[in-house]
Amino acid sequence: MKLKQAVMGVAALACMSTAAHAQSAGSIYLSTGWFHLAPQSSSDPLTVTSIGGSPTNITEPNTGASLDSADTIGFTAGYFVTDHIATEFVIGVPPNFNLYGTGNLAQFGKIGQAKQWSPTLLFKYYFNAPTATFRPYLGVGVSRIWFTGEEITNSAFQANVLHGPTSVSTDSSWEPVFNAGFTYNITQHWYAGVSISYLPLSTTAKLTSQATTPVGPLTVTSQTKIKLNPIVTYVNIGYRF
C-alpha cells in the first residue's frame, strides 16, 4: 500500500511539473532564430519635385526600383496572459536591403542600399491545450518601421539620372503585422517554432542631389514611393520559464 501511494505521489508531482512548465498563463519565454525577409516589392516612377528650390512635378516614365531578399538573426520575448493568449516582442539585427533599378533603370543594376529596423509587438492566440506538444497559433500586431544607412551606391546612376552626388532619406511609419505559426515542445522547457508574417509596408524615398548645370550648381529633389510588403519567415528555438 505504501509503495502504491509513493508511486502515485511521484506521478502526481510529475504531472504538476509538466503543467508548471507548459505554455500556460504566467509562462515567460525567450527565443532566437533565423529571419528571412522576402519583399514583394514595386515602386512608383521617379518624380522630380523641385529644381533650384522651384517646385516641379516631372515624372520619369518607366522608372522604378525593387529590393532583394535579406536574412538576419531574430530574438523574441513573450508572456502568456492566459493559457491561450500571449503577448510577444520581436526584434532582429537590422537586415541590409539592396535596391535595384527596374524599367529604364534596370541597366544600372544595384543602385542603393539601406538597413531596416522593425521592432514588433504581437498578440497571439494559441490553439490546443497548454500541455500539448504541438500548438498552432494566429497573431496580429504592430511594427515600428524605419531605415538607416540609406545611400545611393551606384556612381553611374548618380551621374546620369540624378545628375550629381545624392543623399537619401526615408519615411518612418507604424504598420500592421499579420502572423501565423506553431511551436513544438521538445522538453518541458525547450521548444522549436516556425512562423510566417506579412507586413503591408511602403516608404517614400526622398533624394536630394547637387546637380552641375550650365548655370551653376543646383539642388534637385526627387522622390519615389517604394512598396516592400515583405513576407517574413522565422525559424527559431526557444526556452520557456
Side-chain angles (χ1 to χ4, degrees), residues 149-191:
E150 309 102 312
E151 62 176 331
I152 300 298
T153 59
N154 189 303
S155 57
F157 173 69
Q158 287 191 97
N160 294 291
V161 178
L162 304 176
H163 307 293
T166 302
S167 60
V168 186
S169 64
T170 52
D171 292 337
S172 58
S173 62
W174 291 95
E175 302 293 346
V177 181
F178 305 96
N179 175 253
F182 67 85
T183 59
Y184 183 88
N185 293 326
I186 302 169
T187 68
Q188 292 179 6
H189 293 284
W190 291 98
Y191 68 91

Side-chain angles (χ1 to χ4, degrees), residues 52-180:
S54 299
T56 61
N57 187 27
I58 304 171
T59 298
E60 302 288 348
N62 195 28
T63 58
S66 65
L67 291 90
D68 63 355
S69 299
D71 297 279
T72 191
I73 298 172
F75 305 93
T76 70
Y79 175 76
F80 273 86
V81 181
T82 71
D83 288 351
H84 295 278
I85 298 174
T87 61
E88 183 175 286
F89 178 72
V90 185
I91 194 168
V93 176
N96 187 75
F97 284 107
N98 295 317
L99 186 68
Y100 293 86
T102 60
N104 290 339
L105 304 182
Q107 60 182 308
F108 296 103
K110 177 184 173 182
I111 58 177
Q113 63 186 26
K115 293 183 181 294
Q116 177 192 316
W117 297 77
S118 51
T120 300
L121 180 64
L122 289 172
F123 298 90
K124 302 163 72 173
Y125 184 87
Y126 283 77
F127 300 91
N128 296 342
T131 54
T133 300
F134 176 78
R135 296 198 76 187
Y137 60 80
L138 294 174
V140 65
V142 64
S143 184
R144 178 64 174 173
I145 309 290
W146 72 93
F147 296 86
T148 59
E150 309 102 312
E151 62 176 331
I152 300 298
T153 59
N154 189 303
S155 57
F157 173 69
Q158 287 191 97
N160 294 291
V161 178
L162 304 176
H163 307 293
T166 302
S167 60
V168 186
S169 64
T170 52
D171 292 337
S172 58
S173 62
W174 291 95
E175 302 293 346
V177 181
F178 305 96
N179 175 253

Side-chain angles (χ1 to χ4, degrees), residues 20-42:
H21 297 297
Q23 293 172 321
S24 56
S27 296
I28 296 173
Y29 60 91
L30 302 173
S31 79
T32 186
W34 168 75
F35 275 122
H36 178 70
L37 297 91
Q40 313 302 299
S41 59
S42 63

